[in-house]
Amino acid sequence: MGITPFQALACPLDGEALIRSGNTWICPDGHSFDIAKQGYVNLLPVQQKRSHDPGDSKAMVAARQRFLDAGHYQPIAESVSNAVLSHAKVQTVDNLPFSCLDAGCGEGYYLRQLADAAANSPSLSLMGLDISKWAVLAAAKQDAKHSPLSSWVVGSNAHPR
Ligand SMILES: C[S@@+](CC[C@H](N)C(=O)[O-])C[C@H]1O[C@@H](n2cnc3c(N)ncnc32)[C@H](O)[C@@H]1O
Ligand SMILES: [Zn+2]
């Protein structure tokens, strides 16, 4: 039982498995990605960016955070958490954690709600990914206020060509 940060990451440069060593994720070919002090890792190499500051801007992230913190979408978050947890109960086998990726997590509202709702549920392994560094920074900062429950990654959910 419990919530653990999702650990299975692939190198964005060659797809090899990343292994965590201290505060760095390293692939067998020597590519390394440091975990920022706020608790997230940037897996979006500059050559895979299509703009200087991709995804939602700092102001957009702050505005969404204010809106969500006001509780307007609380019922939606509850429904999302219930749906995920009902899948987790059905699919969890051999005590392996049920993995949940929020691909485009914004400032992490739904994963935080899920982590709170999952206190007495089967093991969950959580990851939030967003192409906006501002979103991931906000998510990691808020998560760190209790104890980090999710892995937070700056990256794209689209495979570069
Ligand atoms: C409408 S917002 C929703 C954020 C969050 N899911 C929520 O509901 O609060 C869409 C998010 O997707 C991110 N995004 C856009 N393109 C992306 C991509 N290719 N990979 C990952 N995230 C992306 C944006 O930066 C933004 O945070
Ligand atoms: Zn690599």
Side-chain angles (χ1 to χ4, degrees):
M1 297 288 188
I3 300 165
T4 55
F6 188 75
Q7 300 287 326
L9 293 173
C11 175
L13 298 174
D14 54 24
E16 296 284 344
L18 291 174
I19 308 285
R20 184 166 171 172
S21 170
N23 281 334
T24 305
W25 289 93
I26 305 172
C27 94
D29 292 335
H31 303 124
S32 68
F33 306 89
D34 291 339
I35 298 170
K37 66 177 186 301
Q38 296 90 350
Y40 68 92
V41 62
N42 190 334
L43 297 183
L44 189 65
V46 69
Q47 58 268 43
Q48 291 177 11
K49 285 187 183 181
R50 292 190 179 157
S51 72
H52 170 65
D53 192 17
D56 282 10
S57 67
K58 188 176 185 180
M60 290 162 80
V61 170
R64 182 173 299 109
Q65 189 171 333
R66 283 195 300 276
F67 176 83
L68 291 170
D69 284 350
H72 303 300
Y73 278 11
Q74 173 69 29
I76 298 174
E78 275 176 33
S79 295
V80 171
S81 295
N82 288 340
V84 172
L85 292 175
S86 64
H87 279 290
K89 282 190 187 112
V90 172
Q91 293 188 18
T92 300
V93 287
D94 298 334
N95 285 329
L96 289 173
F98 177 81
S99 296
C100 179
L101 166 69
D102 187 343
C105 62
E107 53 75 58
Y109 178 72
Y110 293 95
L111 277 183
R112 285 195 304 282
Q113 297 278 327
L114 175 59
D116 285 346
N120 298 313
S121 297
S123 292
L124 280 183
S125 175
L126 304 179
M127 175 177 288
L129 172 143
D130 202 286
I131 203 167
S132 160
K133 69 178 177 210
W134 305 113
V136 174
L137 180 61
K141 275 186 179 171
Q142 291 179 88
D143 197 21
K145 280 183 192 159
H146 14 117
S147 63
L149 296 172
S150 304
S151 296
W152 300 105
V153 176
V154 177
S156 177
N157 54 27
H159 198 283
R161 290 170 200 275

